[in-house]
Amino acid sequence: MRIAVFAGDGIGPEVTEQAVRVLQALEIEGMELVEGDVGGAAYRRHGHPLPEATLDIARSADAILFGAVGDFSLDHLERALRPEQAVLGLRKELGLFANLRPATVFKGLEDLSTLRPEVSGKIDLLIVRELNGDVYFGEKGTRTLEDGRRQGWDMMSYAEDEVRRIAHAGFKAAQGRSGRLCSVDKANVLETSQLWRDVMIEVSKEYPDVELTHMYVDNAAMQLVKNPGAFDVIVTGNLFGDILSDQASMCVGSIGLLASASLAEGKFGLYEPIHGSAPDIAGKALANPMATILSAAMLLRHSFGLEEQAARIEAAVAATLADGIKGGDLGGSAGTKEIGDAVLARL
Ligand code: IPM
Ligand code: MG
């Protein structure tokens, strides 16, 4: 059980530290933690956001616990050297193609949402986002047109095998939940989406127990704020999933509570909070570590099959919240370590 711990930038190290304390407290036999540098922190120390040494650690590990990357002061660098490339590089290099982003409202926290509590209180959905393809990883560039205008361009594409494997991930996730899968695309405009939809329908034949529906992404954005409780599992491409998952997290209203998993074929996965590096509060011991602690729970469940330990962590977080111990993101005043201590005590 070798777990790579990549804390990264901003609040990444602070929140990861608390999640590591929680993992260690479980005293799981054979668990070994190995740290590595990613993001802006790695760039400053090694001249690259995803150094070869970090990739080696990742490849030798069974799972990765990830903090956050992002550092505005490095935004002037060429794209390949920016902190974000660490997470994009890990996704690509390790074949992390299935991104699971659950968004659920915790009981008693319905008011955090900007939606009415009777609407937000029903949110319990899972976004399955494709993570290895789409316009993210297509060819891109800037060029000068004949008339002298500059043009930026990015190639959007999906090959059928790429769609098929995320389709299977989506259908399997739906089987484990309510048996409903909503595929989100823009097939009324994009060829990429038409193929996506065709393949979704093909794969659905193998899952007669799952009800497949389709929705255009613009409508999905509306429905997410109108009636988010109607969604269960959403499967979508990389770009739409990026946007909708942020939207879903804001519907919940507590970005500091949402965990995510990025899975490869098999058991390997990278687990990270969905909030970013939050430079505005970095180093102030204010960040809420719960999303990272919950990511550690996802790690134990998906990569190691340790359901019981995962559930213990989740119960400890829920109990901490129920006792009113909340970070600033939730309208409370508890600091990073205080929340970590509270979760540990309840564990
Ligand atoms: C996310 C982030 C990343 C993405 C960035 C940091 C490259 O927004 O994980 O959603 O766009 O995928
Ligand atoms: Mg995003």
Side-chain angles (χ1 to χ4, degrees), residues 20-39:
V20 163
R21 287 176 72 206
V22 168
L23 281 175
Q24 284 171 335
L26 290 169
E27 297 183 340
I28 297 167
E29 221 190 285
M31 190 178 83
E32 181 199 353
L33 302 171
V34 202
E35 290 183 17
D37 293 326
V38 289

Side-chain angles (χ1 to χ4, degrees), residues 3 34 37 58 72 89 106 133 142 150 197 202 205 234 238 241 247 270 309 311 336 347:
I3 301 173
V34 202
D37 293 326
F72 292 127
F106 278 75
T142 49
R150 288 170 306 150
R197 189 176 281 220
E202 284 163 31
K205 311 271 191 282
I234 294 173
N238 205 346
Q247 193 186 342
L270 178 151
Q309 283 90 337
T336 311
L347 198 69

Side-chain angles (χ1 to χ4, degrees), residues 79 85 88 91 129-140 154-158 237-243:
R79 191 166 298 281
Q85 294 303 314
L88 294 173
R91 288 173 186 171
R129 167 189 175 194
E130 201 287 331
L131 216 50
N132 268 190
D134 203 350
V135 69
Y136 267 65
F137 292 101
E139 273 183 58
K140 56 186 81 218
D154 302 84
M155 159 90 163
M156 173 184 268
S157 69
Y158 263 124
N238 205 346
L239 181 63
F240 300 156
D242 178 46
I243 299 164

